[in-house]
Amino acid sequence: MERKSIFQRQREPLPSLAEVCPELTEWFSTALGQEILTQQLALAQPLVEGLFGYHLMQAGMAPQVDFAACSRINHRFRLSPCEGAGGAALVEFEQLPLPSESIDVAVLHHLLDFAPHPHQVLREAARVLIPGGHLVVIGFNPFSLLGLSRLFLSSSPHQRGNQLRAARIADWMHLLDLQAGTVERGFFRFPLHHGELLAKTAWMERMGNRWHLPCGGFYIIVARKEVARMRTIRLNWRGEKKPSLNVVPSSPRVAARGRHHKHSRR
């Protein structure tokens, strides 16, 4: 495979989620991918566990981990863009086959990172959420040691995405009436593919968590769907004072004619 610079790769259109899904599923089985999934699960579990409702939708490309296993919601199901990703159904996330305002909690695992139209995927997720429902978005941070490793012309599948910042995702959410909360971050170490070398850099995780550094390799955003409420104004039609209606002249010439008639009568 011919290696291309980062600028050449950014100009190329992204493949569909169904095309990139098998490679990402295989990459998440590596030592580096497994370490990232372990940290994501540890951070996401207490967040998902505190969300309630009747229906939970989980969508992603890593069948190795289940972010909804700790949820108290009874009806939990998983959707995926390709076979072998552990989904109960294969769907196109740009057009979800779900009715509007039918899901209480939705978990998107790296879908926005690799979708050709990430804003449309986010729009569909917001559409199916009920008012007051929650959306959990997990994505890669481009401004991290993991994200900046793409500068070394690596052909790893996790580096071919949209490179979306958490702040940009939060802006998109705001336009869709989604109120983003606190952002959780993880994986502050070097993106090493050897398990023993990864274990030796565990001190970087402790330092990043202690100082709440913004350079984590991934982020988790929990947003709540806000709906503007209409305020009704009650009119007291039974009051003693009734609104008076006055005739307003349609033009200045008619108004001047009325004043002339009043003066002539005097």
Side-chain angles (χ1 to χ4, degrees):
M1 180 182 297
E2 181 182 359
R3 291 186 174 183
K4 299 181 181 181
S5 67
I6 180 176
F7 304 102
Q8 291 175 332
R9 287 183 303 194
Q10 285 181 343
R11 286 194 294 264
E12 294 179 351
L14 291 179
S16 64
L17 287 173
E19 295 174 346
V20 73
C21 178
E23 287 185 292
L24 282 172
T25 301
E26 183 178 357
W27 179 82
F28 277 119
S29 299
T30 63
L32 178 59
Q34 286 291 323
E35 179 63 28
I36 293 176
L37 288 179
T38 300
Q39 293 193 27
Q40 289 179 348
L41 184 62
L43 288 177
Q45 272 188 338
L47 300 175
V48 176
E49 188 177 4
L51 304 178
F52 302 95
Y54 296 97
H55 309 285
L56 186 150
M57 179 192 74
Q58 181 180 183
M61 294 173 283
Q64 299 90 336
V65 64
D66 186 5
F67 294 98
C70 62
S71 176
R72 303 178 185 180
I73 299 177
N74 293 327
H75 183 215
R76 305 185 298 265
F77 62 96
R78 182 187 298 209
L79 304 177
S80 64
C82 68
E83 297 182 1
L90 305 181
V91 301
E92 294 183 0
F93 290 96
E94 288 83 359
Q95 296 179 350
L96 285 175
L98 296 173
S100 300
E101 300 183 359
S102 59
I103 301 299
D104 298 273
V105 179
V107 181
L108 304 185
H109 183 243
H110 294 298
L111 287 185
L112 303 183
D113 289 331
F114 302 99
H117 307 286
H119 192 273
Q120 178 60 26
V121 174
L122 186 63
R123 183 186 298 274
E124 279 292 282
R127 179 185 64 82
V128 300
L129 276 181
I130 67 170
H134 290 85
L135 175 66
V136 181
V137 174
I138 304 175
F140 287 127
N141 179 18
F143 298 106
S144 62
L145 294 177
L146 178 66
L148 294 177
S149 63
R150 70 187 186 277
L151 298 176
F152 298 98
L153 304 180
S154 175
S155 59
S156 182
H158 77 280
Q159 298 170 342
R160 307 174 191 168
N162 294 306
Q163 310 297 335
L164 299 174
R165 298 178 295 110
R168 187 177 183 185
I169 299 297
D171 291 340
W172 289 357
M173 289 179 172
H174 181 71
L175 296 176
L176 298 173
D177 295 329
L178 296 171
Q179 185 65 35
T182 305
V183 180
E184 299 287 343
R185 303 178 187 273
F187 196 80
F188 299 91
R189 64 185 76 180
F190 293 106
L192 305 174
H193 293 274
H194 199 277
E196 295 182 1
L197 295 178
L198 278 173
K200 292 181 180 180
T201 57
W203 60 271
M204 302 179 69
E205 295 294 337
R206 294 190 295 268
M207 184 179 65
N209 293 323
R210 179 181 303 176
W211 296 98
H212 301 285
L213 299 179
C215 56
F218 67 87
Y219 53 82
I220 302 178
I221 306 176
V222 180
R224 186 176 186 273
K225 185 175 181 180
E226 302 287 349
V227 178
R229 298 180 178 179
M230 298 182 61
R231 182 180 178 183
T232 59
I233 301 177
R234 295 183 178 180
L235 299 178
N236 187 14
W237 295 101
R238 298 181 180 180
E240 296 180 356
K241 295 183 179 180
K242 304 295 183 180
S244 58
L245 300 177
N246 297 324
V247 179
V248 179
S250 59
S251 65
R253 181 175 301 178
V254 175
R257 185 185 306 170
R259 289 195 297 267
H260 175 72
H261 288 307
K262 290 181 180 180
H263 288 294
S264 62
R265 292 176 182 177
R266 294 179 183 177

